[in-house]
Amino acid sequence: LIWAFLMKLHVSEVLTLIFIEITPSLVSVYLVYGIGKELYDERVGLFSALLFSVSWLHLFYSVRIMTDIPSLFLSLLSIYFFVKSYKDMELKGFSLSILFLSLAVLMRYSYGLIGFAYLIFFGIVHREKILGKKNFWIGGIIGVIPLIIFFLANLISSGNLFPAVGSYAESAADKPEFAYYVFGFMPHILRSVLLGLFIVGGVLVLGELIIGYNFLYKVKKLRSHAFLVILLIVSLGFFVYIIKAAEDRYLLMIFPSVLIFGSIALIKIYDFLKGYSKQFAMILIAILLLFSSYQQLTFANSMIGLKTASFLPMKQAFVWIGENTPKDSVILGDWADPYAIYYSERRLGAFPTPLVNLDNFSLDGVDYFTLTSVHQPTPVVVDFANRMAQEGKITPIQVFFFDETQQQPAVIIYKVN
C-alpha cells in the first residue's frame, strides 16, 4: 500500500528506496541502541547498535524494496516501547508497543511471534496478576485495532478471518521433516566472530538465569535475560518445528537477542580482563569489534554486488512488453504480477486457485504469456507453456538471457495466437 501510494505520486525508485528501506534501516540502529539501554545499560546499547549497523544481512536487505526491513523497524519500535512500559504497564507506552506490533504483523505475519513472546513473558513476570491490570486490556485493545480491521475485511471479502493460515498449515503439513537446517543459518548470518560472541553471551545469560531464577521478579537484569531468551526460543521454534521452513532474512526478528547476547559477552570479557590490564582489555575488545565489522562489511559488499543484477532479466522483459505491446494488452505468467504492474503497466490475467492443474485452463482474454527461471518456476506452469507451444497456441517472440552467450534463457515472452 505504501509503495502503491508513492507510485501514484510518481516518486522515483531512488526516493522510494530511501523512504521505505534506508530510512527505517537507519532508525532501527538507534532503536537497537534504545532496547539494549532500556534492558541493561548504555554499554550494551552501544555495542548492540554497532554490531547491528554493520550486519551484512541488515545492509543487504536495506537496499532491496522488500518488506523485511520496514517490518523489522516496526517490530523494533514495538519492542522498544514494550521494554519501557511492561513493568508498570504504562498505558501510552504499552498501547504504542501493541500498535506497532500490529502494523509489523500486517507487513509480515511472522512478527506475530513477538506477541506470543510478550504473553509468555507476562505470564512469568506478572503471572495471573496481569489479567487484573486494566491497562493490559485497554492498551491491548487499542493496539490491535489495525488487526481487527484487517480480520473484519478478510471476513467480509472471503468469509474467513485469516485465510493465510490455511495456506501455511497446508505447506507445513507437506513437510514431514523439522527444519533443523535453520540453525545452520547462524554461522552464515553472524560469521565467526559474532557467532562466537553470541554463543558465549548466550551461555552466560542462561547460566545467570538458572542460578538466579528465584530472583527473577526482583532483578531487572534477570528479567531482561528472560525476555530475550523467550524471544529467541519462540522465533526459532516456530520456523523449525511449526512452519518447518525459513530463509536467512526471516531470522532478522531474533537480532535483538543475538546482538545483545554478543554485547554481554564483550562486556564480560572486558570486565574480566581489566582487572589484569585495562589497556589490554580495551585493545582486545577493539580487535573483536573491528574484525567482526570487517567480516560483516566485506561479505555485505560481495553479496550486494553479486545480487545487483539478479532480477535484471525480469525488468528487461517487462520493460520490453511495456514498449512493444498495445496498452490494453493482458499479460499472464508465472511470477509476472509485480513486474507487469510496475514495468509494463499492463492488465493481468489470472491462473486458477489453487494452481495445481491447468489441463482445462484456457488463455481466452490473454494477449501475452511469460515464462521465467529467474524465480523458481512452477512445474505445472512450465508443462502448460510447453503444451501450448507444441499445439501452436502460443509463439515465442522475445527471449532474455542470464548470460552474454545467450545459452541460459531467463525470461521467454510468448504471443497468444
Side-chain angles (χ1 to χ4, degrees):
L1 287 173
I2 295 168
W3 192 6
F5 176 72
L6 295 174
M7 288 172 63
K8 290 290 185 182
L9 296 179
H10 303 289
V11 175
S12 70
E13 287 185 42
V14 172
L15 287 178
T16 298
L17 188 69
I18 290 172
F19 182 74
I20 65 177
E21 299 291 342
I22 294 175
T23 300
S25 172
L26 290 169
V27 179
S28 293
V29 175
Y30 175 76
L31 290 172
V32 168
Y33 161 76
I35 291 167
K37 183 181 177 182
E38 288 294 329
L39 287 173
Y40 296 94
D41 56 37
E42 189 166 18
R43 290 192 302 172
V44 171
L46 287 171
F47 280 140
S48 300
L50 172 59
L51 294 170
F52 186 54
S53 69
V54 297
S55 163
W56 77 262
L57 191 69
H58 176 215
L59 293 172
F60 179 78
Y61 286 104
S62 295
V63 290
R64 300 175 85 84
I65 299 179
M66 299 172 69
T67 60
D68 300 278
I69 294 302
S71 58
L72 175 66
F73 160 70
L74 291 168
S75 70
L76 291 174
L77 269 174
S78 172
I79 293 172
Y80 175 72
F81 282 108
F82 180 81
V83 298
K84 284 178 68 72
S85 64
Y86 79 84
K87 183 178 180 182
D88 300 320
M89 288 304 299
E90 187 264 319
L91 180 59
K92 180 180 178 182
F94 183 65
S95 299
L96 287 172
S97 173
I98 304 305
L99 175 64
F100 286 122
L101 181 60
S102 295
L103 296 176
V105 170
L106 290 178
M107 197 167 283
R108 288 192 70 82
Y109 298 148
S110 58
Y111 279 100
L113 295 171
I114 296 176
F116 284 105
Y118 290 168
L119 291 174
I120 295 170
F121 181 69
F122 275 143
I124 294 174
V125 173
H126 291 296
R127 296 185 176 180
E128 70 281 355
K129 296 179 181 178
I130 190 65
L131 299 177
K133 294 181 180 290
K134 66 177 183 179
N135 284 357
F136 171 77
W137 297 103
I138 296 172
I141 292 171
I142 292 173
V144 299
I145 287 175
L147 288 178
I148 292 173
I149 295 171
F150 172 66
F151 291 141
L152 289 176
N154 283 343
L155 189 62
I156 293 170
S157 63
S158 67
N160 191 323
L161 284 174
F162 199 8
V165 168
S167 299
Y168 289 130
E170 183 179 341
S171 176
D174 291 338
K175 301 180 180 70
E177 302 292 333
F178 293 129
Y180 290 115
Y181 66 83
V182 172
F183 297 115
F185 287 150
M186 301 302 282
H188 169 65
I189 294 171
L190 303 181
R191 322 310 291 171
S192 59
V193 176
L194 183 54
L195 177 64
L197 292 173
F198 164 65
I199 293 172
V200 171
V203 170
L204 291 170
V205 164
L206 287 174
E208 290 181 356
L209 269 177
I210 293 170
I211 294 171
Y213 179 78
N214 290 334
F215 300 96
L216 183 64
Y217 314 105
K218 299 178 181 180
V219 180
K220 178 184 176 183
K221 182 175 74 170
L222 294 177
R223 293 197 301 271
S224 298
H225 286 354
F227 173 71
L228 294 173
V229 169
I230 292 168
L231 181 62
L232 182 67
I233 291 175
V234 167
S235 301
L236 289 177
F238 175 78
F239 293 122
V240 174
Y241 298 107
I242 306 300
I243 203 70
K244 302 175 188 175
E247 297 177 19
D248 52 14
R249 59 195 172 98
Y250 296 2
L251 300 189
L252 281 166
M253 68 167 57
I254 70 171
F255 265 43
S257 300
V258 170
L259 298 168
I260 291 176
F261 287 175
S263 300
I264 289 172
L266 284 169
I267 292 168
K268 292 290 186 181
I269 292 170
Y270 174 80
D271 289 342
F272 175 77
L273 292 176
K274 74 176 182 180
Y276 300 95
S277 171
K278 187 174 183 180
Q279 289 76 16
F280 176 73
M282 293 176 65
I283 291 171
L284 180 60
I285 296 303
I287 290 173
L288 290 172
L289 287 172
L290 287 170
F291 194 57
S292 178
S293 299
Y294 176 78
Q295 285 185 320
Q296 294 287 333
L297 291 173
T298 53
F299 193 73
N301 185 57
S302 64
M303 284 293 292
I304 292 170
L306 180 67
K307 298 294 185 178
T308 296
S310 56
F311 293 90
L312 182 61
M314 292 295 281
K315 176 180 179 178
Q316 293 171 330
F318 286 90
V319 167
W320 186 92
I321 289 173
E323 295 174 346
N324 295 276
T325 65
K327 290 187 179 298
D328 61 350
S329 300
V330 176
I331 312 298
L332 177 65
D334 201 16
W335 298 96
D337 296 16
Y339 302 96
I341 294 167
Y342 190 70
Y343 292 119
S344 303
E345 297 186 354
R346 295 296 185 264
R347 291 189 298 128
L348 294 165
F351 288 112
T353 304
L355 184 55
V356 293
N357 190 316
L358 294 176
D359 291 344
N360 299 315
F361 181 66
S362 170
L363 289 173
D364 291 345
V366 176
D367 300 299
Y368 296 90
F369 184 86
T370 65
L371 198 62
T372 178
S373 57
V374 175
H375 295 274
Q376 183 66 38
T378 305
V380 67
V381 176
V382 176
D383 293 341
F384 174 76
N386 290 334
R387 178 163 55 84
M388 290 294 100
Q390 291 172 2
E391 294 176 2
K393 294 181 180 179
I394 58 175
T395 302
I397 58 173
Q398 187 70 24
V399 182
F400 292 85
F401 296 86
F402 287 113
D403 59 324
E404 293 183 0
T405 59
Q406 298 190 350
Q407 300 299 311
Q408 302 176 44
V411 184
I412 304 174
I413 302 171
Y414 298 89
K415 189 174 189 314
V416 178
N417 299 323

